[in-house]
Amino acid sequence: MEEEPSAKHHHAETSDKSSNLIDINVLGEKREYTTTLKGVELHGNETLEIVCTSIPEKADEVISKLWMKLGGRFRRIVSVGVHYTNEDEPPQMAAVLQLCIDELCLVYHIAAATKWPKRLTEMLQHEKLFTFAGFSIESDKEKLKLSSMEINPNKFIDIQRKWRVPYTGKEYDSLTDVAASVIHPFYKGMKNKINTQEDYKLWGTSELPDNLIEYAGVDAYAAYKSWFMIDYITDGSEYAKEREAENFYDRPYCPFTG
């Protein structure tokens, strides 16, 4: 773990840069901090880097790295997820926003921050570049809007509505169900390191403990990788159907054609 606590002079140095940023209207213990977890274990030999921060400039730095990962790709998928402030202290609002691409995840601690990162606004509202995938994303969008942030309504996918795990008989699948089905059984145990009753009350506190940061990152990765796999397989199936409709497979085979 790498922890980078802020100091008072840091705020003074960045105040000019932050003056044009959007205020965050979420009650919480405001504090500038960054915690980085590297080598977080996933399935197989896969590992994840998670950067949790309440500092807009640090978040912008990570968002720039996420943005660069998508350069040149045809499918620009970004997972998005939101955790909420304590429901016992209404109104319930967005406390944490998580974004993930490949092995890098940003956990932005909204409840501890005072400003929204500039690049985050550009990313979530971009008209063309990104498709955001998440679980029960309508609720996340609602909570984000209460916190003065919105996702482009034309650029998001709710995995829970777009994919069902076959033969389970469930009315709705959880992210753990989907990720364990399409990625690896490892993701059935995603919540083993947290107490879902007590730890979920801590999203609005500062600083977030490491186990919640790790959970947020793995949760974000599971959503990203799940939709990446589902979308890839669906595209392949649709491509095969197009070939079938064109009678492609009835043509004589020639080993010298590509």
Side-chain angles (χ1 to χ4, degrees), residues 43-165:
H43 65 287
N45 295 321
E46 301 289 326
T47 60
L48 184 67
E49 178 179 350
I50 308 168
V51 181
C52 175
T53 188
S54 63
I55 304 171
E57 293 78 16
K58 182 65 177 180
D60 276 335
E61 178 185 317
V62 180
I63 291 169
S64 293
K65 292 179 181 179
L66 292 171
W67 204 305
M68 290 175 63
K69 283 180 174 291
L70 295 177
R73 293 191 189 183
F74 177 73
R75 298 156 67 243
R76 298 186 178 97
I77 297 169
V78 183
S79 79
V80 59
V82 178
H83 299 287
Y84 311 147
T85 55
N86 192 343
E87 64 181 352
D88 297 332
E89 301 173 6
Q92 195 174 30
M93 303 174 79
V96 170
L97 173 70
Q98 60 198 36
L99 300 172
C100 185
I101 300 170
D102 293 339
E103 74 290 347
L104 179 61
C105 177
L106 169 67
V107 176
Y108 192 59
H109 197 180
I110 302 166
T114 58
K115 301 283 185 179
W116 285 106
K118 182 178 180 181
R119 297 223 73 185
L120 178 62
T121 306
E122 295 173 359
M123 191 178 206
L124 293 182
Q125 297 179 3
H126 204 286
E127 289 295 329
K128 296 181 179 180
L129 284 182
F130 311 108
T131 296
F132 297 97
F135 242 74
S136 301
I137 202 168
E138 287 293 341
S139 178
D140 289 353
K141 286 170 55 190
E142 176 187 333
K143 296 298 190 296
L144 278 176
K145 191 170 183 179
L146 288 173
S147 308
S148 306
M149 179 58 63
E150 294 188 61
I151 302 174
N152 186 333
N154 302 316
K155 299 295 290 184
F156 68 87
I157 299 290
D158 190 334
I159 301 172
Q160 194 174 50
R161 294 188 176 189
K162 292 292 185 178
W163 175 261
R164 301 303 305 274
V165 179

